[in-house]
């Protein structure tokens, strides 16, 4: 049987005992989880695609299982297959659509500020140190938000960087393909949670309509704390305000009845029909 996580813990009280488990941190079968560099080299030589080696390494290499460094085999096979038809085709994302991501989505919907901050560090190319639970089973997935790191690690979103320190691992994004997934899918999942909060969004829009500056500021600050990283504004100083303007407009789009219906009252400065 294969899978990302264990189905059940071995116990004298279960009907499934004495299983031999090989996780991605074990050395027993480490090189069988993917293609080694030598195997990819031979494949590209066979199909006369040596000039694509650097691109394939950048996009699909980077996984560290046990003591072995390996490529994602599905990605390499899929890309080589496409190259045989169109040699100029750039690398594509083949990995993210191979299975459902509902487990990751549910865990990230409950992400804490610390979780979001750690993901921003990963996107910036940095490593984070987290406790990985190799004994985690599907039954215990949602017991603790920190389990998200064990799931991301086991599922291939993250990989080990350097030596282990007990059950504490340094984790990094393995390659460019997974980095793109973090930049799009995972960040979108986290920010969609804010947009789904219709009660708070409506209160924010109402605060604007009634010129309630204090309430608008409080709610807007909450959204910024929950969804925005300092890396989102890593541009020239004179352009930093542009990001906040765009973010504000995105929130206000929740209501489609602004244009032509409201205008500022000269006496009280509140919006009037």
């Amino acid at each position: 049987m294969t899978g990302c996580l264990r189905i059940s813990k071995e116990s004298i009280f279960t009907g499934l005992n004495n299983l031999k488990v090989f996780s991605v941190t074990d050395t027993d079968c480490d090189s069988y989880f993917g293609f080694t560099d030598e195997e990819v080299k031979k494949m590209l030589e066979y199909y006369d695609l040596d000039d694509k080696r650097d691109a394939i390494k950048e996009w699909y290499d980077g996984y560290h299982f046990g003591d072995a460094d390996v490529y994602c085999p599905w990605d390499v096979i899929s890309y080589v297959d496409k190259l045989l038809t169109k040699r100029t085709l750039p690398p594509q994302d083949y990995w993210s659509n191979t299975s459902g991501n509902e487990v990751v989505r549910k865990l990230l919907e409950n992400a804490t500020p610390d979780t979001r901050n750690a993901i921003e560090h990963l996107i910036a190319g940095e490593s984070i140190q987290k406790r990985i639970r190799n004994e985690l089973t599907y039954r215990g997935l949602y017991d603790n938000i920190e389990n998200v790191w064990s799931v991301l690690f086991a599922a291939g979103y993250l990989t080990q960087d350097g030596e282990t320190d007990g059950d504490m691992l340094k984790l990094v994004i393995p390659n460019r393909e997974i980095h793109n997934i973090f930049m799009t899918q995972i960040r979108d999942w986290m920010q969609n949670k804010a947009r789904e909060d219709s009660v708070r969004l409506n209160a924010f829009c109402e605060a604007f309509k009634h010129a309630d500056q204090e309430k608008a500021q409080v709610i807007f600050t909450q959204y910024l704390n929950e969804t925005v990283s300092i890396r989102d504004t890593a541009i020239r100083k004179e352009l930093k305000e542009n990001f906040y303007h765009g973010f504000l407009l995105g929130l206000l789009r929740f209501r489609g009845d602004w244009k032509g219906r409201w205008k500022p009252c000269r006496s009280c400065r509140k919006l009037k029909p």
Side-chain angles (χ1 to χ4, degrees):
M1 293 186 295
T2 61
C4 293
L5 300 177
R6 304 185 189 192
I7 300 172
S8 174
K9 290 183 180 179
E10 300 91 326
S11 167
I12 60 173
F13 301 109
T14 70
L16 192 64
N17 298 320
N18 305 319
L19 294 176
K20 187 90 171 167
V21 178
F22 301 105
S23 73
V24 294
T25 58
D26 294 322
T27 59
D28 305 66
C29 301
D30 50 10
S31 62
Y32 296 103
F33 282 103
F35 291 155
T36 65
D37 193 62
E38 185 61 27
E39 289 169 335
V40 172
K41 179 181 178 182
K42 289 181 179 179
M43 180 188 298
L44 298 180
E45 288 175 350
Y46 181 84
Y47 290 109
D48 193 24
L49 294 170
D50 302 88
D51 58 310
K52 302 296 182 180
R53 188 176 180 185
D54 289 343
I56 289 176
K57 187 174 186 64
E58 178 186 1
W59 274 75
Y60 310 127
D61 190 18
Y63 293 98
H64 185 81
F65 293 161
D67 290 333
D69 295 315
V70 295
Y71 294 69
C72 175
W74 172 250
D75 285 323
V76 175
I77 291 174
S78 299
Y79 185 43
V80 168
D81 182 52
K82 292 292 186 181
L83 286 173
L84 295 179
T85 303
K86 184 178 180 180
R87 191 181 182 88
T88 59
L89 184 74
Q92 308 289 316
D93 172 13
Y94 302 102
W95 183 86
S96 62
N97 295 320
T98 57
S99 64
N101 296 303
E102 189 62 25
V103 170
V104 176
R105 181 191 297 270
K106 286 184 177 179
L107 284 167
L108 289 173
E109 283 177 350
N110 298 315
T112 64
D114 286 340
T115 306
R116 288 188 290 269
N117 185 58
I119 287 177
E120 293 293 347
H121 280 285
L122 289 167
I123 290 174
E126 303 168 9
S127 65
I128 60 173
Q129 189 166 16
K130 295 293 178 180
R131 177 168 281 103
I132 297 301
R133 296 181 55 197
N134 285 318
E135 79 286 357
L136 184 66
T137 65
Y138 288 98
R139 180 177 296 180
L141 272 179
Y142 306 111
D143 293 346
N144 189 326
I145 184 59
E146 286 299 299
N147 288 342
V148 68
W149 305 115
S150 298
V151 174
L152 290 173
F153 175 65
Y157 287 92
L158 299 175
T159 192
Q160 177 183 340
D161 181 33
E163 297 296 323
T164 62
D165 182 11
D167 57 354
M168 297 295 292
L169 268 64
K170 284 179 65 177
L171 304 173
V172 294
I173 295 175
N175 52 48
R176 183 170 174 182
E177 179 188 37
I178 305 301
H179 184 271
N180 289 348
I181 292 174
F182 268 87
M183 289 292 291
T184 54
Q185 293 188 15
I186 291 182
R187 180 177 278 179
D188 286 348
W189 291 344
M190 292 166 62
Q191 295 190 352
N192 282 340
K193 179 175 173 59
R195 290 192 288 267
E196 291 169 359
D197 187 357
S198 59
V199 174
R200 185 165 52 161
L201 271 173
N202 190 62
F204 182 63
C205 294
E206 285 294 308
F208 263 79
K209 188 171 73 173
H210 297 291
D212 189 342
Q213 299 177 24
E214 183 177 352
K215 187 173 184 179
Q217 181 178 349
V218 168
I219 297 176
F220 189 58
T221 301
Q222 290 173 352
Y223 278 119
L224 292 176
N225 288 336
E226 292 172 5
T227 60
V228 177
S229 161
I230 57 172
R231 295 178 179 84
D232 289 320
T233 59
I235 55 177
R236 297 197 308 275
K237 184 177 180 180
E238 62 272 18
L239 297 177
K240 284 185 180 291
E241 285 295 320
N242 292 358
F243 174 82
Y244 295 101
H245 294 166
F247 190 84
L248 175 60
L249 290 173
L251 293 175
L252 293 177
R253 283 188 63 189
F254 172 75
R255 291 273 289 269
D257 58 350
W258 296 108
K259 187 176 180 180
R261 292 194 57 183
W262 306 95
K263 59 183 179 180
C265 174
R266 293 184 179 180
S267 59
C268 64
R269 293 192 299 177
K270 291 186 178 181
L271 294 174
K272 296 290 185 179

